[in-house]
Amino acid sequence: MASVTFLEPSGSNLLSAQISRTGLTNLNVTRNSAPWINSNYPEAMGLNGGNMAFADNGHFINQQTVKGDAEVFYSHTNHSGRTFYFRVHIFNCSASTVTVERTNEGHSVGWTTAADAVKEYFNGNAATFTLASGASAWLTDKITVPNGSPFSGMIHLNASNSIIVTEYAYFDYDTIDGKETVFEFIDTSEVYTGMGTGYFITFNHKLLSASKTKVSALASKPYAYAVNSGNTGEINSNEMVPIKILGTNETAQVGGKYSNIGNWGAHNYHIIQFTNDTSRAATIYGYIGSNPQGNTQVINRGGVVKSARLNTDTGKFQWRWCKVDLAAGESVEFDFQQILASYGSSASIMRWELA
Protein backbone atom coordinates (compact mmCIF):
# COMPACT_ATOMS: atom_id res chain seq x y z
CA MET A 1 0.00 0.00 0.00
CA ALA A 2 1.24 3.49 -0.84
CA SER A 3 2.83 5.38 2.06
CA VAL A 4 4.12 8.92 2.68
CA THR A 5 6.70 9.37 5.48
CA PHE A 6 7.62 12.77 6.94
CA LEU A 7 11.35 12.47 7.64
CA GLU A 8 13.22 14.01 10.56
CA PRO A 9 15.66 16.90 9.95
CA SER A 10 18.56 14.95 11.41
CA GLY A 11 21.24 12.37 10.64
CA SER A 12 21.45 11.17 7.06
CA ASN A 13 18.42 13.27 6.10
CA LEU A 14 20.58 16.43 6.28
CA LEU A 15 23.10 16.78 3.44
CA SER A 16 26.08 19.09 3.15
CA ALA A 17 26.02 19.30 -0.66
CA GLN A 18 24.26 22.18 -2.38
CA ILE A 19 20.96 21.18 -3.95
CA SER A 20 20.99 21.17 -7.73
CA ARG A 21 19.35 24.21 -9.31
CA THR A 22 19.26 22.75 -12.82
CA GLY A 23 16.31 21.47 -14.83
CA LEU A 24 13.73 23.48 -12.92
CA THR A 25 10.06 23.56 -13.87
CA ASN A 26 8.57 27.06 -13.74
CA LEU A 27 5.04 27.02 -12.34
CA ASN A 28 2.01 29.29 -12.48
CA VAL A 29 0.67 29.42 -8.93
CA THR A 30 -2.38 31.06 -7.34
CA ARG A 31 -2.65 33.39 -4.35
CA ASN A 32 -5.56 34.22 -2.10
CA SER A 33 -6.93 37.76 -1.96
CA ALA A 34 -6.51 38.53 1.74
CA PRO A 35 -4.29 41.42 2.94
CA TRP A 36 -0.75 40.72 4.11
CA ILE A 37 0.74 43.32 6.48
CA ASN A 38 4.45 42.92 5.75
CA SER A 39 7.15 44.69 7.76
CA ASN A 40 10.92 44.56 7.17
CA TYR A 41 11.88 48.25 6.94
CA PRO A 42 13.82 49.54 8.75
CA GLU A 43 15.45 46.13 8.90
CA ALA A 44 18.26 47.31 11.22
CA MET A 45 16.35 49.42 13.73
CA GLY A 46 18.39 52.16 15.37
CA LEU A 47 21.48 51.56 13.26
CA ASN A 48 23.96 54.44 13.59
CA GLY A 49 21.67 56.13 16.10
CA GLY A 50 18.72 56.36 13.71
CA ASN A 51 15.71 56.01 16.00
CA MET A 52 13.12 57.52 13.67
CA ALA A 53 10.91 54.39 13.63
CA PHE A 54 10.42 54.19 17.41
CA ALA A 55 7.17 55.18 19.11
CA ASP A 56 9.17 57.24 21.64
CA ASN A 57 9.90 59.57 18.71
CA GLY A 58 6.29 59.60 17.53
CA HIS A 59 6.46 56.94 14.81
CA PHE A 60 5.05 53.52 14.06
CA ILE A 61 6.68 50.78 12.00
CA ASN A 62 3.62 49.86 9.95
CA GLN A 63 -0.05 50.82 9.99
CA GLN A 64 -2.78 49.36 7.78
CA THR A 65 -6.58 49.15 7.69
CA VAL A 66 -7.99 45.65 7.17
CA LYS A 67 -11.28 43.76 7.33
CA GLY A 68 -11.97 40.02 7.39
CA ASP A 69 -9.04 37.61 7.21
CA ALA A 70 -5.57 39.16 7.28
CA GLU A 71 -2.06 38.13 8.18
CA VAL A 72 0.86 40.01 9.71
CA PHE A 73 4.53 39.23 9.10
CA TYR A 74 7.42 41.20 10.63
CA SER A 75 11.19 40.83 10.69
CA HIS A 76 13.67 43.38 12.09
CA THR A 77 16.92 43.59 14.05
CA ASN A 78 17.75 45.66 17.14
CA HIS A 79 20.78 47.89 16.46
CA SER A 80 19.76 50.64 18.90
CA GLY A 81 22.38 49.87 21.54
CA ARG A 82 19.77 48.98 24.16
CA THR A 83 16.80 46.68 24.74
CA PHE A 84 13.52 47.72 23.16
CA TYR A 85 10.01 46.26 22.94
CA PHE A 86 7.69 45.37 20.09
CA ARG A 87 3.91 45.10 20.11
CA VAL A 88 0.95 45.07 17.70
CA HIS A 89 -2.04 47.34 18.37
CA ILE A 90 -5.60 47.25 16.98
CA PHE A 91 -8.12 50.13 16.81
CA ASN A 92 -11.79 49.95 15.85
CA CYS A 93 -12.26 52.62 13.22
CA SER A 94 -15.77 51.35 12.36
CA ALA A 95 -19.02 52.92 13.53
CA SER A 96 -20.17 49.79 15.37
CA THR A 97 -18.67 47.13 17.64
CA VAL A 98 -16.05 44.89 16.03
CA THR A 99 -14.97 41.40 16.99
CA VAL A 100 -11.35 40.54 16.23
CA GLU A 101 -10.29 36.89 16.34
CA ARG A 102 -6.57 36.23 16.64
CA THR A 103 -6.44 32.63 15.48
CA ASN A 104 -2.67 32.14 15.23
CA GLU A 105 0.36 34.00 16.59
CA GLY A 106 4.04 33.19 16.90
CA HIS A 107 7.29 35.09 17.29
CA SER A 108 10.99 34.48 17.75
CA VAL A 109 13.99 36.45 19.01
CA GLY A 110 17.53 35.41 18.06
CA TRP A 111 19.56 34.35 15.03
CA THR A 112 19.16 30.60 15.48
CA THR A 113 15.47 30.41 16.41
CA ALA A 114 13.68 31.79 13.35
CA ALA A 115 11.65 28.58 12.97
CA ASP A 116 10.05 29.19 16.38
CA ALA A 117 7.88 31.98 14.98
CA VAL A 118 6.34 29.60 12.45
CA LYS A 119 6.04 26.67 14.86
CA GLU A 120 4.33 28.84 17.48
CA TYR A 121 2.02 30.16 14.78
CA PHE A 122 0.87 26.63 13.96
CA ASN A 123 0.26 25.98 17.67
CA GLY A 124 -2.51 28.58 17.56
CA ASN A 125 -2.37 30.97 20.55
CA ALA A 126 -5.91 32.21 19.89
CA ALA A 127 -7.59 35.21 21.51
CA THR A 128 -10.79 37.21 20.97
CA PHE A 129 -11.15 41.00 21.25
CA THR A 130 -14.50 42.83 21.29
CA LEU A 131 -14.03 46.53 20.61
CA ALA A 132 -16.66 49.25 20.72
CA SER A 133 -16.41 51.97 18.09
CA GLY A 134 -13.27 54.00 18.81
CA ALA A 135 -11.88 51.42 21.25
CA SER A 136 -8.49 49.75 20.98
CA ALA A 137 -6.42 46.88 22.40
CA TRP A 138 -3.05 45.22 22.14
CA LEU A 139 -3.29 42.31 19.71
CA THR A 140 -0.09 40.73 21.08
CA ASP A 141 1.88 40.60 24.29
CA LYS A 142 4.99 42.74 24.63
CA ILE A 143 8.05 41.20 22.99
CA THR A 144 11.44 42.01 24.56
CA VAL A 145 14.25 42.45 22.02
CA PRO A 146 17.83 42.66 23.37
CA ASN A 147 20.37 44.78 21.53
CA GLY A 148 21.92 42.94 18.60
CA SER A 149 19.07 40.45 18.27
CA PRO A 150 16.77 39.92 15.31
CA PHE A 151 13.08 39.26 15.88
CA SER A 152 10.27 38.05 13.66
CA GLY A 153 6.67 36.91 13.85
CA MET A 154 3.48 35.82 12.13
CA ILE A 155 -0.12 36.58 13.12
CA HIS A 156 -3.43 35.54 11.56
CA LEU A 157 -6.54 37.52 12.44
CA ASN A 158 -10.13 37.99 11.35
CA ALA A 159 -11.99 41.26 11.93
CA SER A 160 -15.77 41.50 11.58
CA ASN A 161 -15.39 45.06 10.28
CA SER A 162 -12.62 47.51 9.48
CA ILE A 163 -9.84 47.95 12.03
CA ILE A 164 -6.48 49.73 12.02
CA VAL A 165 -3.51 47.49 12.77
CA THR A 166 -0.35 49.26 13.96
CA GLU A 167 3.08 47.87 14.81
CA TYR A 168 5.20 49.69 17.40
CA ALA A 169 8.78 49.39 18.58
CA TYR A 170 9.55 51.42 21.71
CA PHE A 171 11.90 51.90 24.66
CA ASP A 172 9.79 53.47 27.40
CA TYR A 173 6.79 54.77 25.51
CA ASP A 174 3.56 53.22 26.77
CA THR A 175 0.80 55.66 25.76
CA ILE A 176 -0.72 55.40 22.28
CA ASP A 177 -2.38 58.68 21.41
CA GLY A 178 -3.10 58.15 17.70
CA LYS A 179 -0.78 60.97 16.68
CA GLU A 180 2.11 58.69 15.68
CA THR A 181 3.15 58.99 12.06
CA VAL A 182 4.95 57.01 9.39
CA PHE A 183 8.70 57.50 9.27
CA GLU A 184 10.41 58.67 6.08
CA PHE A 185 11.16 55.89 3.61
CA ILE A 186 14.76 55.91 2.41
CA ASP A 187 15.32 54.51 -1.08
CA THR A 188 16.15 50.78 -0.99
CA SER A 189 15.42 48.02 -3.46
CA GLU A 190 15.33 45.06 -1.09
CA VAL A 191 13.98 46.21 2.29
CA TYR A 192 10.45 47.52 2.59
CA THR A 193 7.35 47.73 4.77
CA GLY A 194 3.77 47.93 3.57
CA MET A 195 0.85 45.73 2.59
CA GLY A 196 0.37 43.12 -0.09
CA THR A 197 -2.48 40.93 -1.25
CA GLY A 198 -2.35 37.15 -1.05
CA TYR A 199 -0.17 35.50 1.63
CA PHE A 200 -1.51 31.96 0.95
CA ILE A 201 0.01 30.55 -2.25
CA THR A 202 -1.16 27.30 -3.82
CA PHE A 203 1.13 25.05 -5.84
CA ASN A 204 -1.26 22.53 -7.39
CA HIS A 205 1.31 20.10 -8.81
CA LYS A 206 -1.48 17.61 -9.47
CA LEU A 207 -2.75 19.92 -12.20
CA LEU A 208 0.44 21.76 -13.14
CA SER A 209 2.93 18.93 -13.59
CA ALA A 210 1.14 15.59 -13.44
CA SER A 211 3.20 14.15 -16.28
CA LYS A 212 6.45 15.01 -14.46
CA THR A 213 5.52 13.19 -11.26
CA LYS A 214 5.09 9.76 -12.84
CA VAL A 215 7.75 7.23 -11.90
CA SER A 216 8.63 6.69 -15.56
CA ALA A 217 9.31 10.43 -15.93
CA LEU A 218 11.28 10.63 -12.67
CA ALA A 219 13.49 7.78 -13.91
CA SER A 220 14.90 10.13 -16.55
CA LYS A 221 14.65 13.51 -14.77
CA PRO A 222 13.89 14.64 -11.19
CA TYR A 223 10.92 16.95 -10.71
CA ALA A 224 12.38 20.20 -9.34
CA TYR A 225 11.03 23.71 -8.89
CA ALA A 226 11.84 26.89 -6.97
CA VAL A 227 9.94 28.28 -3.99
CA ASN A 228 10.47 31.76 -2.52
CA SER A 229 13.15 32.46 -5.10
CA GLY A 230 13.70 35.85 -6.71
CA ASN A 231 16.54 34.55 -8.87
CA THR A 232 16.29 35.05 -12.62
CA GLY A 233 14.96 31.89 -14.23
CA GLU A 234 13.57 30.53 -10.95
CA ILE A 235 10.62 32.83 -10.29
CA ASN A 236 7.23 31.16 -10.56
CA SER A 237 4.47 33.16 -12.24
CA ASN A 238 2.24 34.97 -9.70
CA GLU A 239 4.25 33.76 -6.68
CA MET A 240 5.89 36.95 -5.38
CA VAL A 241 3.38 39.14 -3.55
CA PRO A 242 3.33 42.79 -4.74
CA ILE A 243 3.71 44.94 -1.62
CA LYS A 244 2.60 48.57 -1.60
CA ILE A 245 5.39 50.35 0.28
CA LEU A 246 4.15 52.36 3.25
CA GLY A 247 4.15 56.13 2.80
CA THR A 248 4.91 55.97 -0.94
CA ASN A 249 3.29 55.27 -4.29
CA GLU A 250 5.81 52.50 -4.95
CA THR A 251 5.17 48.77 -5.05
CA ALA A 252 7.72 46.03 -4.44
CA GLN A 253 7.13 43.46 -7.16
CA VAL A 254 8.97 41.28 -9.64
CA GLY A 255 10.52 43.41 -12.36
CA GLY A 256 9.88 46.72 -10.62
CA LYS A 257 12.13 49.38 -9.14
CA TYR A 258 11.62 47.70 -5.79
CA SER A 259 11.58 43.92 -6.05
CA ASN A 260 9.91 41.43 -3.74
CA ILE A 261 12.76 38.95 -3.48
CA GLY A 262 11.42 36.33 -1.15
CA ASN A 263 7.94 36.05 0.45
CA TRP A 264 9.42 35.25 3.88
CA GLY A 265 6.57 34.12 6.13
CA ALA A 266 4.08 33.44 3.33
CA HIS A 267 2.27 30.10 3.22
CA ASN A 268 3.26 27.87 0.30
CA TYR A 269 0.58 25.19 0.08
CA HIS A 270 1.47 22.19 -2.10
CA ILE A 271 -0.87 19.54 -3.49
CA ILE A 272 1.04 16.77 -5.23
CA GLN A 273 0.31 13.37 -6.72
CA PHE A 274 2.77 10.61 -7.63
CA THR A 275 1.88 7.71 -9.91
CA ASN A 276 3.86 4.54 -10.34
CA ASP A 277 3.19 3.72 -13.97
CA THR A 278 5.80 0.95 -14.00
CA SER A 279 5.72 -2.77 -13.15
CA ARG A 280 8.07 -2.42 -10.15
CA ALA A 281 7.81 -0.90 -6.69
CA ALA A 282 9.33 2.57 -6.42
CA THR A 283 10.60 4.92 -3.70
CA ILE A 284 10.62 8.68 -4.22
CA TYR A 285 12.44 11.15 -1.97
CA GLY A 286 11.58 14.82 -1.55
CA TYR A 287 14.35 17.34 -0.81
CA ILE A 288 14.40 21.02 0.01
CA GLY A 289 17.56 23.11 -0.11
CA SER A 290 19.02 26.59 -0.02
CA ASN A 291 21.75 28.40 -1.88
CA PRO A 292 25.15 28.99 -0.16
CA GLN A 293 23.82 31.88 1.93
CA GLY A 294 21.44 29.47 3.62
CA ASN A 295 17.98 29.74 5.17
CA THR A 296 15.52 28.09 7.58
CA GLN A 297 12.75 25.88 6.22
CA VAL A 298 9.55 24.88 8.04
CA ILE A 299 7.15 22.22 6.76
CA ASN A 300 3.71 21.38 8.13
CA ARG A 301 2.55 17.93 7.05
CA GLY A 302 -0.89 17.04 8.40
CA GLY A 303 -0.46 19.18 11.50
CA VAL A 304 3.03 17.86 12.29
CA VAL A 305 5.58 20.69 12.00
CA LYS A 306 9.33 20.21 11.50
CA SER A 307 12.12 22.59 10.55
CA ALA A 308 15.73 22.65 9.40
CA ARG A 309 18.42 25.34 9.47
CA LEU A 310 20.32 25.05 6.22
CA ASN A 311 23.42 27.25 6.30
CA THR A 312 27.13 27.45 6.98
CA ASP A 313 26.57 27.32 10.75
CA THR A 314 25.09 23.85 10.50
CA GLY A 315 27.14 22.77 7.48
CA LYS A 316 23.96 21.37 5.93
CA PHE A 317 22.22 22.74 2.85
CA GLN A 318 19.62 20.10 2.00
CA TRP A 319 16.89 18.38 3.98
CA ARG A 320 15.58 15.07 2.67
CA TRP A 321 12.21 15.55 4.25
CA CYS A 322 9.80 13.13 2.56
CA LYS A 323 9.73 9.49 1.45
CA VAL A 324 7.02 8.11 -0.85
CA ASP A 325 6.69 4.35 -1.36
CA LEU A 326 4.55 3.06 -4.22
CA ALA A 327 3.81 -0.46 -5.36
CA ALA A 328 3.54 -1.10 -9.10
CA GLY A 329 0.51 0.71 -10.51
CA GLU A 330 -0.19 2.70 -7.33
CA SER A 331 -0.84 6.43 -6.97
CA VAL A 332 -0.85 8.67 -3.93
CA GLU A 333 -1.93 12.27 -3.39
CA PHE A 334 -1.00 14.41 -0.38
CA ASP A 335 -0.52 18.03 0.67
CA PHE A 336 1.79 20.08 2.88
CA GLN A 337 2.69 23.65 3.75
CA GLN A 338 6.20 25.03 3.41
CA ILE A 339 7.12 28.38 4.98
CA LEU A 340 10.45 30.17 4.67
CA ALA A 341 11.35 31.54 8.10
CA SER A 342 13.19 34.84 8.54
CA TYR A 343 16.86 35.53 7.89
CA GLY A 344 19.04 34.16 5.13
CA SER A 345 18.47 33.80 1.43
CA SER A 346 15.02 33.32 -0.05
CA ALA A 347 16.26 31.17 -2.92
CA SER A 348 14.98 27.65 -2.23
CA ILE A 349 14.56 24.56 -4.38
CA MET A 350 12.25 21.57 -3.88
CA ARG A 351 13.29 18.41 -5.68
CA TRP A 352 11.67 14.97 -6.05
CA GLU A 353 13.69 12.04 -7.36
CA LEU A 354 13.76 8.23 -7.37
CA ALA A 355 15.81 6.49 -4.69
Side-chain angles (χ1 to χ4, degrees), residues 314-329:
T314 63
K316 306 298 181 181
F317 293 92
Q318 287 186 65
W319 172 19
R320 182 173 63 185
W321 73 273
C322 186
K323 180 183 180 185
V324 181
D325 289 302
L326 296 172

Side-chain angles (χ1 to χ4, degrees), residues 18 142 213 288 322 349:
Q18 295 289 326
K142 182 169 66 174
T213 56
I288 188 165
C322 186
I349 302 295

